[in-house]
Amino acid sequence: MEDHSVCSTEVPAGNKASFRETSLSGHESHVPRFSHMICIINFLCFSSAVLEAIENVIQDVLKSLAQKKAPVLTLANRSDWRNIEFKDSVGLQMIPHCTTKQIRSDCPRSAPKFALMLKILSVIYKMVQSNTYATKRDIYYSDTLLFGSQNVVDNVINDISCMLKIPRRSLHILSTAKGFVAGNLSYTEEDGTKVNCTCGATAVTVPSNVQGIKNLISHAKFMLIVEKDATFQRLLDDDFCNKLSPCIMITGRGIPDLNTRLLVRKLWDSFQIPIFTLMDADPHGVEIMCIYKYGSVSMSFEAHHLTVPSIKWLGLLPSDLERLNIRKDVLIPFTKQDQNKLASIQKRPYIACQPMWKKELEIMAASKLKAEIQVLTSLSSDYLSRVYLPNKLQFGGWL
């Protein structure tokens, strides 16, 4: 589904009238503690702000109709690098006054998206009012014929979040959990369920509502973000979390979903321990590491909640391949797509402030070869957990 042309014209907001009457039904059988009351007040205030933001959008639509004008929705160009600035302490964030595009109701190309946005806004409004939640998948399956694909729903939800300037989780929309966490960590979920992530043969699924977890406890000395599930599981099997020193391991199983990124940020805020990444030595692995560290262009409007600029690149470094005398026949030649991806990464603003990263990317570009983490098994089956990671962590082999 395509958007209409870029336009920065917006309809003046005017005076907003409220569509609702606020009421509080149901009473506790006891007097809640003061802290609990504060939480309730904060929740009600924020819920009211979300409802008001949606009402303002609908008010503008009704105002346009009353003036016999075609209603439009104005969105920031989330994928345009011209709307992005880099700050070393935050990562990629959207600039305050960015270029916008209009989703018009009178244009055949954009009218379907206009309708979908109003539909999902109504779903969000009802959920916030009733304090209920739904996953993006729930919303898609509520009317598959209308939405067409899950990707359409995902994009519309992100556009709404950006338009309202409200984090997606505050819109009562959750993501289906994708990532795993294991190691020296325990916490309590929003419903009171106690979770213990002590390293074992199996990992714990990243919670779907990271914002709601509390009572986080850990004695971990560091956190390790692993790109791939296969590597993550191998480290679990090798009992890596306990052999060297207590740690927390997380994997987004490839490109991380929002929940995994939120959890990494929450753990960083809670414990302030070093965070290292273990990625393939290829452009795709570097891209994934950059998402954790600096964020993505499409989600730059939420950078302050998602990025952890202190993350370090532990491995697999391109320079490690020569240092460890990895045989050329187990390396993989670059594709044209790899070359284009690497060239794109090298031009990004954060590479300029990372001279050691820049050097590693130059080594990768010159060799035109890439390697998966599993290449270390060519040295020995347990080389990763027995030699590579312990040496790197002990002697400071990170960037």
Side-chain angles (χ1 to χ4, degrees), residues 240-304:
F240 175 76
C241 295
N242 298 315
K243 277 185 177 176
L244 188 62
S245 62
C247 72
I248 300 169
M249 287 202 312
I250 291 182
T251 179
R253 302 167 71 193
I255 298 174
D257 61 332
L258 192 68
N259 290 330
T260 303
R261 293 172 63 189
L262 284 168
L263 182 60
V264 170
R265 176 58 193 245
K266 191 176 187 76
L267 293 176
W268 163 249
D269 288 337
S270 300
F271 304 122
Q272 298 284 301
I273 55 177
I275 304 180
F276 303 105
T277 59
L278 181 63
M279 307 281 153
D280 288 341
D282 63 15
H284 188 67
V286 174
E287 173 86 281
I288 290 172
M289 175 176 58
C290 291
I291 291 173
Y292 283 109
K293 184 177 176 75
Y294 294 125
S296 60
V297 175
S298 63
M299 294 297 291
S300 59
F301 62 95
E302 275 209 65
H304 289 269

Short mmCIF file of all heavy atoms in Angstrom, two decimals, residues 240-304:
data_model
loop_
_atom_site.label_atom_id
_atom_site.label_comp_id
_atom_site.label_asym_id
_atom_site.label_seq_id
_atom_site.Cartn_x
_atom_site.Cartn_y
_atom_site.Cartn_z
N PHE A 240 27.84 -21.70 29.14
CA PHE A 240 28.71 -20.53 29.11
C PHE A 240 28.37 -19.51 30.19
O PHE A 240 29.26 -18.86 30.75
CB PHE A 240 28.64 -19.88 27.72
CG PHE A 240 29.44 -18.60 27.63
CD1 PHE A 240 30.81 -18.63 27.53
CD2 PHE A 240 28.80 -17.37 27.68
CE1 PHE A 240 31.55 -17.45 27.47
CE2 PHE A 240 29.52 -16.18 27.61
CZ PHE A 240 30.90 -16.23 27.51
N CYS A 241 27.08 -19.37 30.50
CA CYS A 241 26.65 -18.36 31.47
C CYS A 241 27.29 -18.53 32.84
O CYS A 241 27.43 -17.56 33.59
CB CYS A 241 25.13 -18.38 31.62
SG CYS A 241 24.25 -17.91 30.14
N ASN A 242 27.66 -19.76 33.18
CA ASN A 242 28.19 -20.03 34.51
C ASN A 242 29.68 -20.36 34.53
O ASN A 242 30.32 -20.27 35.58
CB ASN A 242 27.42 -21.21 35.14
CG ASN A 242 25.95 -20.88 35.32
OD1 ASN A 242 25.59 -19.81 35.78
ND2 ASN A 242 25.08 -21.81 34.93
N LYS A 243 30.23 -20.77 33.40
CA LYS A 243 31.62 -21.22 33.37
C LYS A 243 32.61 -20.09 33.61
O LYS A 243 33.56 -20.23 34.38
CB LYS A 243 31.92 -21.89 32.02
CG LYS A 243 31.51 -23.35 31.96
CD LYS A 243 31.94 -23.98 30.66
CE LYS A 243 31.57 -25.47 30.63
NZ LYS A 243 31.91 -26.09 29.34
N LEU A 244 32.42 -18.96 32.94
CA LEU A 244 33.38 -17.86 33.03
C LEU A 244 33.09 -16.97 34.22
O LEU A 244 33.86 -16.86 35.16
CB LEU A 244 33.36 -17.05 31.73
CG LEU A 244 34.44 -15.98 31.58
CD1 LEU A 244 35.83 -16.62 31.59
CD2 LEU A 244 34.24 -15.20 30.28
N SER A 245 31.94 -16.34 34.18
CA SER A 245 31.43 -15.53 35.29
C SER A 245 29.95 -15.32 35.02
O SER A 245 29.49 -15.48 33.89
CB SER A 245 32.17 -14.19 35.38
OG SER A 245 31.98 -13.43 34.21
N PRO A 246 29.17 -14.98 36.05
CA PRO A 246 27.73 -14.81 35.83
C PRO A 246 27.46 -13.78 34.74
O PRO A 246 28.08 -12.71 34.71
CB PRO A 246 27.22 -14.32 37.18
CG PRO A 246 28.25 -14.75 38.17
CD PRO A 246 29.56 -14.71 37.44
N CYS A 247 26.57 -14.11 33.84
CA CYS A 247 26.24 -13.17 32.76
C CYS A 247 24.80 -13.36 32.33
O CYS A 247 24.13 -14.31 32.74
CB CYS A 247 27.18 -13.34 31.57
SG CYS A 247 26.91 -14.85 30.60
N ILE A 248 24.32 -12.45 31.51
CA ILE A 248 23.00 -12.54 30.88
C ILE A 248 23.22 -12.66 29.38
O ILE A 248 24.00 -11.89 28.81
CB ILE A 248 22.14 -11.30 31.18
CG1 ILE A 248 21.92 -11.15 32.68
CG2 ILE A 248 20.80 -11.37 30.45
CD1 ILE A 248 21.30 -9.80 33.08
N MET A 249 22.57 -13.61 28.75
CA MET A 249 22.64 -13.75 27.29
C MET A 249 21.28 -13.44 26.69
O MET A 249 20.25 -13.87 27.22
CB MET A 249 23.06 -15.15 26.88
CG MET A 249 24.53 -15.48 27.11
SD MET A 249 25.10 -16.85 26.07
CE MET A 249 23.84 -18.08 26.30
N ILE A 250 21.29 -12.74 25.57
CA ILE A 250 20.06 -12.39 24.85
C ILE A 250 20.28 -12.62 23.36
O ILE A 250 21.36 -12.34 22.84
CB ILE A 250 19.67 -10.92 25.09
CG1 ILE A 250 19.23 -10.70 26.53
CG2 ILE A 250 18.56 -10.48 24.14
CD1 ILE A 250 18.79 -9.28 26.82
N THR A 251 19.26 -13.12 22.70
CA THR A 251 19.30 -13.18 21.24
C THR A 251 17.98 -12.68 20.68
O THR A 251 16.91 -12.98 21.21
CB THR A 251 19.56 -14.61 20.72
OG1 THR A 251 19.57 -14.59 19.28
CG2 THR A 251 18.50 -15.60 21.19
N GLY A 252 18.07 -11.89 19.62
CA GLY A 252 16.88 -11.45 18.90
C GLY A 252 16.57 -12.37 17.75
O GLY A 252 15.65 -12.11 16.97
N ARG A 253 17.39 -13.44 17.61
CA ARG A 253 17.23 -14.43 16.53
C ARG A 253 17.23 -13.74 15.18
O ARG A 253 16.30 -13.86 14.40
CB ARG A 253 15.97 -15.25 16.76
CG ARG A 253 15.96 -15.97 18.10
CD ARG A 253 14.59 -16.52 18.43
NE ARG A 253 14.25 -17.64 17.58
CZ ARG A 253 13.03 -18.15 17.47
NH1 ARG A 253 12.04 -17.64 18.18
NH2 ARG A 253 12.80 -19.17 16.68
N GLY A 254 18.31 -13.01 14.93
CA GLY A 254 18.42 -12.23 13.70
C GLY A 254 18.13 -10.77 13.98
O GLY A 254 18.52 -10.24 15.02
N ILE A 255 17.45 -10.12 13.06
CA ILE A 255 17.08 -8.71 13.27
C ILE A 255 16.17 -8.63 14.49
O ILE A 255 15.13 -9.28 14.53
CB ILE A 255 16.37 -8.13 12.03
CG1 ILE A 255 17.31 -8.16 10.83
CG2 ILE A 255 15.89 -6.71 12.30
CD1 ILE A 255 16.68 -7.75 9.52
N PRO A 256 16.54 -7.87 15.52
CA PRO A 256 15.78 -7.89 16.77
C PRO A 256 14.42 -7.21 16.64
O PRO A 256 14.28 -6.19 15.97
CB PRO A 256 16.68 -7.11 17.73
CG PRO A 256 17.46 -6.18 16.86
CD PRO A 256 17.69 -6.93 15.58
N ASP A 257 13.44 -7.79 17.32
CA ASP A 257 12.13 -7.16 17.39
C ASP A 257 12.15 -6.08 18.47
O ASP A 257 13.14 -5.93 19.21
CB ASP A 257 11.05 -8.20 17.67
CG ASP A 257 11.27 -8.91 19.01
OD1 ASP A 257 12.43 -9.01 19.44
OD2 ASP A 257 10.29 -9.34 19.64
N LEU A 258 11.07 -5.34 18.56
CA LEU A 258 10.99 -4.23 19.50
C LEU A 258 11.16 -4.70 20.94
O LEU A 258 11.85 -4.06 21.74
CB LEU A 258 9.65 -3.51 19.33
CG LEU A 258 9.51 -2.16 20.03
CD1 LEU A 258 10.42 -1.12 19.40
CD2 LEU A 258 8.07 -1.67 20.00
N ASN A 259 10.54 -5.83 21.31
CA ASN A 259 10.62 -6.30 22.68
C ASN A 259 12.04 -6.63 23.10
O ASN A 259 12.46 -6.32 24.22
CB ASN A 259 9.73 -7.54 22.87
CG ASN A 259 8.27 -7.22 22.80
OD1 ASN A 259 7.84 -6.13 23.15
ND2 ASN A 259 7.47 -8.15 22.31
N THR A 260 12.80 -7.26 22.21
CA THR A 260 14.18 -7.60 22.54
C THR A 260 15.02 -6.35 22.73
O THR A 260 15.81 -6.26 23.67
CB THR A 260 14.79 -8.48 21.42
OG1 THR A 260 13.98 -9.65 21.23
CG2 THR A 260 16.20 -8.92 21.78
N ARG A 261 14.80 -5.36 21.89
CA ARG A 261 15.54 -4.10 22.03
C ARG A 261 15.13 -3.36 23.30
O ARG A 261 15.98 -2.79 24.01
CB ARG A 261 15.30 -3.21 20.80
CG ARG A 261 15.89 -3.78 19.52
CD ARG A 261 15.47 -2.99 18.30
NE ARG A 261 15.95 -1.62 18.36
CZ ARG A 261 15.58 -0.66 17.51
NH1 ARG A 261 14.71 -0.93 16.55
NH2 ARG A 261 16.07 0.56 17.63
N LEU A 262 13.85 -3.40 23.62
CA LEU A 262 13.38 -2.77 24.86
C LEU A 262 13.99 -3.45 26.09
O LEU A 262 14.36 -2.79 27.07
CB LEU A 262 11.85 -2.84 24.95
CG LEU A 262 11.06 -1.85 24.09
CD1 LEU A 262 9.59 -2.23 24.06
CD2 LEU A 262 11.22 -0.42 24.59
N LEU A 263 14.10 -4.79 26.03
CA LEU A 263 14.65 -5.51 27.17
C LEU A 263 16.13 -5.20 27.35
O LEU A 263 16.59 -5.00 28.48
CB LEU A 263 14.45 -7.02 26.99
CG LEU A 263 14.96 -7.89 28.15
CD1 LEU A 263 14.23 -7.53 29.45
CD2 LEU A 263 14.80 -9.37 27.85
N VAL A 264 16.88 -5.15 26.25
CA VAL A 264 18.30 -4.80 26.34
C VAL A 264 18.45 -3.43 27.00
O VAL A 264 19.27 -3.23 27.90
CB VAL A 264 18.96 -4.82 24.95
CG1 VAL A 264 20.37 -4.21 25.01
CG2 VAL A 264 19.04 -6.23 24.41
N ARG A 265 17.64 -2.47 26.57
CA ARG A 265 17.70 -1.12 27.14
C ARG A 265 17.29 -1.14 28.62
O ARG A 265 17.92 -0.46 29.45
CB ARG A 265 16.80 -0.18 26.34
CG ARG A 265 16.72 1.25 26.90
CD ARG A 265 18.10 1.90 26.98
NE ARG A 265 18.09 3.11 27.76
CZ ARG A 265 18.33 4.32 27.27
NH1 ARG A 265 18.60 4.47 25.98
NH2 ARG A 265 18.33 5.37 28.06
N LYS A 266 16.26 -1.91 28.96
CA LYS A 266 15.80 -1.96 30.35
C LYS A 266 16.87 -2.57 31.26
O LYS A 266 17.10 -2.10 32.38
CB LYS A 266 14.50 -2.76 30.46
CG LYS A 266 13.82 -2.64 31.82
CD LYS A 266 12.50 -3.35 31.85
CE LYS A 266 11.73 -3.09 33.15
NZ LYS A 266 11.10 -1.76 33.20
N LEU A 267 17.53 -3.61 30.78
CA LEU A 267 18.59 -4.24 31.55
C LEU A 267 19.78 -3.30 31.73
O LEU A 267 20.41 -3.26 32.79
CB LEU A 267 19.03 -5.55 30.89
CG LEU A 267 17.99 -6.68 30.88
CD1 LEU A 267 18.51 -7.88 30.10
CD2 LEU A 267 17.60 -7.09 32.29
N TRP A 268 20.06 -2.54 30.69
CA TRP A 268 21.14 -1.55 30.79
C TRP A 268 20.79 -0.48 31.82
O TRP A 268 21.61 -0.12 32.67
CB TRP A 268 21.41 -0.92 29.43
CG TRP A 268 22.20 0.36 29.49
CD1 TRP A 268 21.75 1.61 29.20
CD2 TRP A 268 23.56 0.53 29.89
NE1 TRP A 268 22.73 2.54 29.38
CE2 TRP A 268 23.87 1.91 29.81
CE3 TRP A 268 24.55 -0.35 30.32
CZ2 TRP A 268 25.11 2.43 30.13
CZ3 TRP A 268 25.81 0.17 30.64
CH2 TRP A 268 26.07 1.53 30.54
N ASP A 269 19.59 0.02 31.76
CA ASP A 269 19.15 1.04 32.72
C ASP A 269 19.16 0.51 34.14
O ASP A 269 19.47 1.24 35.09
CB ASP A 269 17.73 1.54 32.37
CG ASP A 269 17.70 2.40 31.13
OD1 ASP A 269 18.74 2.98 30.77
OD2 ASP A 269 16.63 2.49 30.50
N SER A 270 18.84 -0.78 34.31
CA SER A 270 18.71 -1.37 35.64
C SER A 270 20.06 -1.73 36.26
O SER A 270 20.25 -1.54 37.47
CB SER A 270 17.84 -2.64 35.58
OG SER A 270 16.54 -2.35 35.10
N PHE A 271 20.98 -2.25 35.44
CA PHE A 271 22.21 -2.81 36.02
C PHE A 271 23.50 -2.11 35.61
O PHE A 271 24.52 -2.27 36.28
CB PHE A 271 22.31 -4.30 35.66
CG PHE A 271 21.12 -5.11 36.09
CD1 PHE A 271 20.38 -5.83 35.16
CD2 PHE A 271 20.72 -5.14 37.41
CE1 PHE A 271 19.28 -6.58 35.54
CE2 PHE A 271 19.61 -5.88 37.80
CZ PHE A 271 18.90 -6.60 36.88
N GLN A 272 23.48 -1.35 34.51
CA GLN A 272 24.66 -0.61 34.06
C GLN A 272 25.90 -1.51 33.97
O GLN A 272 27.00 -1.14 34.39
CB GLN A 272 24.94 0.55 35.01
CG GLN A 272 23.82 1.59 35.09
CD GLN A 272 23.78 2.51 33.88
OE1 GLN A 272 24.75 3.20 33.57
NE2 GLN A 272 22.66 2.54 33.19
N ILE A 273 25.74 -2.70 33.41
CA ILE A 273 26.87 -3.61 33.22
C ILE A 273 27.31 -3.56 31.75
O ILE A 273 26.54 -3.16 30.88
CB ILE A 273 26.50 -5.06 33.61
CG1 ILE A 273 25.25 -5.53 32.85
CG2 ILE A 273 26.30 -5.18 35.11
CD1 ILE A 273 24.86 -6.98 33.13
N PRO A 274 28.56 -3.94 31.46
CA PRO A 274 29.02 -3.94 30.06
C PRO A 274 28.14 -4.83 29.18
O PRO A 274 27.71 -5.90 29.61
CB PRO A 274 30.44 -4.49 30.16
CG PRO A 274 30.86 -4.25 31.57
CD PRO A 274 29.61 -4.37 32.39
N ILE A 275 27.90 -4.38 27.96
CA ILE A 275 27.12 -5.15 27.00
C ILE A 275 27.97 -5.38 25.76
O ILE A 275 28.49 -4.44 25.16
CB ILE A 275 25.81 -4.43 26.61
CG1 ILE A 275 24.97 -4.12 27.85
CG2 ILE A 275 25.00 -5.29 25.63
CD1 ILE A 275 23.67 -3.40 27.55
N PHE A 276 28.11 -6.66 25.38
CA PHE A 276 28.91 -7.04 24.22
C PHE A 276 28.02 -7.71 23.18
O PHE A 276 26.99 -8.31 23.52
CB PHE A 276 30.02 -8.00 24.63
CG PHE A 276 30.93 -7.47 25.70
CD1 PHE A 276 30.84 -7.94 27.00
CD2 PHE A 276 31.87 -6.49 25.42
CE1 PHE A 276 31.67 -7.45 28.01
CE2 PHE A 276 32.71 -5.98 26.40
CZ PHE A 276 32.60 -6.47 27.69
N THR A 277 28.43 -7.63 21.92
CA THR A 277 27.69 -8.29 20.84
C THR A 277 28.55 -9.35 20.18
O THR A 277 29.76 -9.17 20.01
CB THR A 277 27.23 -7.30 19.76
OG1 THR A 277 28.38 -6.63 19.21
CG2 THR A 277 26.28 -6.27 20.33
N LEU A 278 27.91 -10.46 19.83
CA LEU A 278 28.56 -11.56 19.11
C LEU A 278 27.80 -11.77 17.81
O LEU A 278 26.69 -12.32 17.83
CB LEU A 278 28.58 -12.82 19.97
CG LEU A 278 29.25 -14.06 19.36
CD1 LEU A 278 30.72 -13.81 19.09
CD2 LEU A 278 29.06 -15.27 20.27
N MET A 279 28.37 -11.30 16.72
CA MET A 279 27.69 -11.30 15.42
C MET A 279 28.55 -12.01 14.37
O MET A 279 29.76 -12.16 14.54
CB MET A 279 27.45 -9.86 14.96
CG MET A 279 26.74 -8.99 15.97
SD MET A 279 24.96 -9.31 15.98
CE MET A 279 24.54 -8.84 17.66
N ASP A 280 27.92 -12.41 13.28
CA ASP A 280 28.68 -12.90 12.14
C ASP A 280 29.57 -11.78 11.60
O ASP A 280 29.21 -10.60 11.69
CB ASP A 280 27.75 -13.38 11.02
CG ASP A 280 27.05 -14.69 11.36
OD1 ASP A 280 27.52 -15.40 12.27
OD2 ASP A 280 26.02 -14.99 10.72
N ALA A 281 30.69 -12.16 11.02
CA ALA A 281 31.58 -11.17 10.41
C ALA A 281 31.12 -10.93 8.97
O ALA A 281 31.77 -11.33 8.00
CB ALA A 281 33.03 -11.65 10.44
N ASP A 282 29.97 -10.29 8.86
CA ASP A 282 29.43 -9.95 7.55
C ASP A 282 28.58 -8.68 7.67
O ASP A 282 28.26 -8.25 8.78
CB ASP A 282 28.62 -11.11 6.95
CG ASP A 282 27.38 -11.48 7.76
OD1 ASP A 282 26.96 -10.68 8.63
OD2 ASP A 282 26.82 -12.56 7.53
N PRO A 283 28.24 -8.04 6.55
CA PRO A 283 27.47 -6.78 6.63
C PRO A 283 26.15 -6.92 7.37
O PRO A 283 25.74 -5.99 8.07
CB PRO A 283 27.25 -6.43 5.15
CG PRO A 283 28.40 -7.06 4.44
CD PRO A 283 28.65 -8.35 5.17
N HIS A 284 25.50 -8.07 7.24
CA HIS A 284 24.21 -8.27 7.91
C HIS A 284 24.41 -8.28 9.43
O HIS A 284 23.61 -7.69 10.17
CB HIS A 284 23.59 -9.59 7.44
CG HIS A 284 22.19 -9.80 7.91
ND1 HIS A 284 21.12 -9.02 7.49
CD2 HIS A 284 21.67 -10.70 8.79
CE1 HIS A 284 20.01 -9.44 8.08
NE2 HIS A 284 20.31 -10.45 8.87
N GLY A 285 25.47 -8.95 9.90
CA GLY A 285 25.74 -8.97 11.33
C GLY A 285 26.07 -7.59 11.87
O GLY A 285 25.64 -7.22 12.97
N VAL A 286 26.83 -6.82 11.10
CA VAL A 286 27.17 -5.45 11.51
C VAL A 286 25.91 -4.60 11.58
O VAL A 286 25.73 -3.81 12.50
CB VAL A 286 28.20 -4.82 10.53
CG1 VAL A 286 28.44 -3.36 10.88
CG2 VAL A 286 29.52 -5.59 10.57
N GLU A 287 25.04 -4.78 10.61
CA GLU A 287 23.77 -4.04 10.58
C GLU A 287 22.95 -4.32 11.84
O GLU A 287 22.42 -3.40 12.48
CB GLU A 287 22.97 -4.45 9.34
CG GLU A 287 21.56 -3.88 9.26
CD GLU A 287 21.52 -2.52 8.62
OE1 GLU A 287 21.84 -1.54 9.33
OE2 GLU A 287 21.17 -2.43 7.44
N ILE A 288 22.84 -5.58 12.22
CA ILE A 288 22.08 -5.96 13.41
C ILE A 288 22.69 -5.35 14.66
O ILE A 288 21.98 -4.82 15.53
CB ILE A 288 22.00 -7.49 13.52
CG1 ILE A 288 21.09 -8.05 12.41
CG2 ILE A 288 21.49 -7.92 14.90
CD1 ILE A 288 21.08 -9.55 12.30
N MET A 289 24.03 -5.40 14.76
CA MET A 289 24.71 -4.79 15.91
C MET A 289 24.42 -3.29 15.99
O MET A 289 24.18 -2.75 17.08
CB MET A 289 26.22 -5.02 15.80
CG MET A 289 27.04 -4.34 16.87
SD MET A 289 28.78 -4.76 16.75
CE MET A 289 29.15 -4.21 15.08
N CYS A 290 24.41 -2.62 14.85
CA CYS A 290 24.14 -1.18 14.81
C CYS A 290 22.72 -0.86 15.26
O CYS A 290 22.47 0.19 15.86
CB CYS A 290 24.39 -0.63 13.40
SG CYS A 290 26.13 -0.62 12.91
N ILE A 291 21.77 -1.75 14.98
CA ILE A 291 20.39 -1.55 15.42
C ILE A 291 20.32 -1.55 16.94
O ILE A 291 19.67 -0.70 17.55
CB ILE A 291 19.46 -2.62 14.81
CG1 ILE A 291 19.31 -2.42 13.30
CG2 ILE A 291 18.08 -2.59 15.49
CD1 ILE A 291 18.54 -3.52 12.59
N TYR A 292 20.98 -2.52 17.57
CA TYR A 292 21.01 -2.56 19.04
C TYR A 292 21.68 -1.31 19.61
O TYR A 292 21.21 -0.73 20.59
CB TYR A 292 21.78 -3.79 19.53
CG TYR A 292 21.04 -5.09 19.48
CD1 TYR A 292 21.39 -6.07 18.55
CD2 TYR A 292 20.02 -5.37 20.38
CE1 TYR A 292 20.74 -7.30 18.52
CE2 TYR A 292 19.35 -6.59 20.35
CZ TYR A 292 19.71 -7.56 19.41
OH TYR A 292 19.06 -8.76 19.38
N LYS A 293 22.79 -0.92 19.02
CA LYS A 293 23.62 0.16 19.57
C LYS A 293 23.08 1.55 19.24
O LYS A 293 22.93 2.39 20.13
CB LYS A 293 25.05 0.02 19.03
CG LYS A 293 26.06 1.03 19.61
CD LYS A 293 27.45 0.74 19.07
CE LYS A 293 28.47 1.77 19.53
NZ LYS A 293 28.85 1.58 20.96
N TYR A 294 22.76 1.78 17.97
CA TYR A 294 22.40 3.12 17.51
C TYR A 294 20.95 3.26 17.05
O TYR A 294 20.48 4.37 16.80
CB TYR A 294 23.32 3.55 16.38
CG TYR A 294 24.76 3.74 16.80
CD1 TYR A 294 25.80 3.07 16.15
CD2 TYR A 294 25.10 4.61 17.84
CE1 TYR A 294 27.12 3.25 16.53
CE2 TYR A 294 26.42 4.79 18.22
CZ TYR A 294 27.42 4.11 17.56
OH TYR A 294 28.73 4.30 17.94
N GLY A 295 20.24 2.13 16.90
CA GLY A 295 18.85 2.22 16.45
C GLY A 295 18.72 2.12 14.95
O GLY A 295 19.70 1.96 14.22
N SER A 296 17.49 2.22 14.48
CA SER A 296 17.19 2.14 13.05
C SER A 296 16.52 3.42 12.60
O SER A 296 15.94 4.15 13.40
CB SER A 296 16.26 0.95 12.77
OG SER A 296 15.04 1.10 13.47
N VAL A 297 16.60 3.68 11.31
CA VAL A 297 15.99 4.89 10.76
C VAL A 297 14.48 4.88 10.97
O VAL A 297 13.89 5.88 11.40
CB VAL A 297 16.32 5.02 9.25
CG1 VAL A 297 15.58 6.20 8.64
CG2 VAL A 297 17.82 5.20 9.06
N SER A 298 13.84 3.75 10.72
CA SER A 298 12.38 3.68 10.77
C SER A 298 11.83 3.86 12.19
O SER A 298 10.69 4.28 12.36
CB SER A 298 11.88 2.36 10.18
OG SER A 298 12.35 1.27 10.94
N MET A 299 12.64 3.54 13.21
CA MET A 299 12.18 3.68 14.60
C MET A 299 12.96 4.77 15.33
O MET A 299 13.02 4.79 16.56
CB MET A 299 12.34 2.34 15.35
CG MET A 299 11.43 1.24 14.84
SD MET A 299 9.67 1.62 15.05
CE MET A 299 9.52 1.53 16.83
N SER A 300 13.52 5.72 14.59
CA SER A 300 14.34 6.77 15.19
C SER A 300 13.53 7.67 16.12
O SER A 300 14.09 8.31 17.01
CB SER A 300 15.00 7.62 14.10
OG SER A 300 14.02 8.20 13.25
N PHE A 301 12.21 7.72 15.94
CA PHE A 301 11.38 8.56 16.80
C PHE A 301 11.27 7.98 18.21
O PHE A 301 10.80 8.65 19.12
CB PHE A 301 9.98 8.74 16.19
CG PHE A 301 9.19 7.46 16.02
CD1 PHE A 301 8.28 7.05 16.98
CD2 PHE A 301 9.34 6.67 14.89
CE1 PHE A 301 7.55 5.89 16.83
CE2 PHE A 301 8.61 5.50 14.73
CZ PHE A 301 7.72 5.11 15.70
N GLU A 302 11.73 6.73 18.40
CA GLU A 302 11.72 6.12 19.73
C GLU A 302 13.13 5.82 20.23
O GLU A 302 13.32 4.99 21.13
CB GLU A 302 10.92 4.82 19.71
CG GLU A 302 9.43 5.00 19.90
CD GLU A 302 8.79 3.78 20.56
OE1 GLU A 302 9.13 3.52 21.72
OE2 GLU A 302 7.97 3.14 19.92
N ALA A 303 14.13 6.48 19.68
CA ALA A 303 15.52 6.15 19.97
C ALA A 303 15.85 6.15 21.46
O ALA A 303 16.58 5.28 21.94
CB ALA A 303 16.45 7.12 19.24
N HIS A 304 15.30 7.09 22.20
CA HIS A 304 15.64 7.22 23.62
C HIS A 304 15.24 6.00 24.44
O HIS A 304 15.77 5.79 25.52
CB HIS A 304 14.99 8.47 24.21
CG HIS A 304 15.60 9.75 23.72
ND1 HIS A 304 16.65 10.37 24.36
CD2 HIS A 304 15.34 10.50 22.61
CE1 HIS A 304 16.99 11.46 23.69
NE2 HIS A 304 16.21 11.57 22.63
#
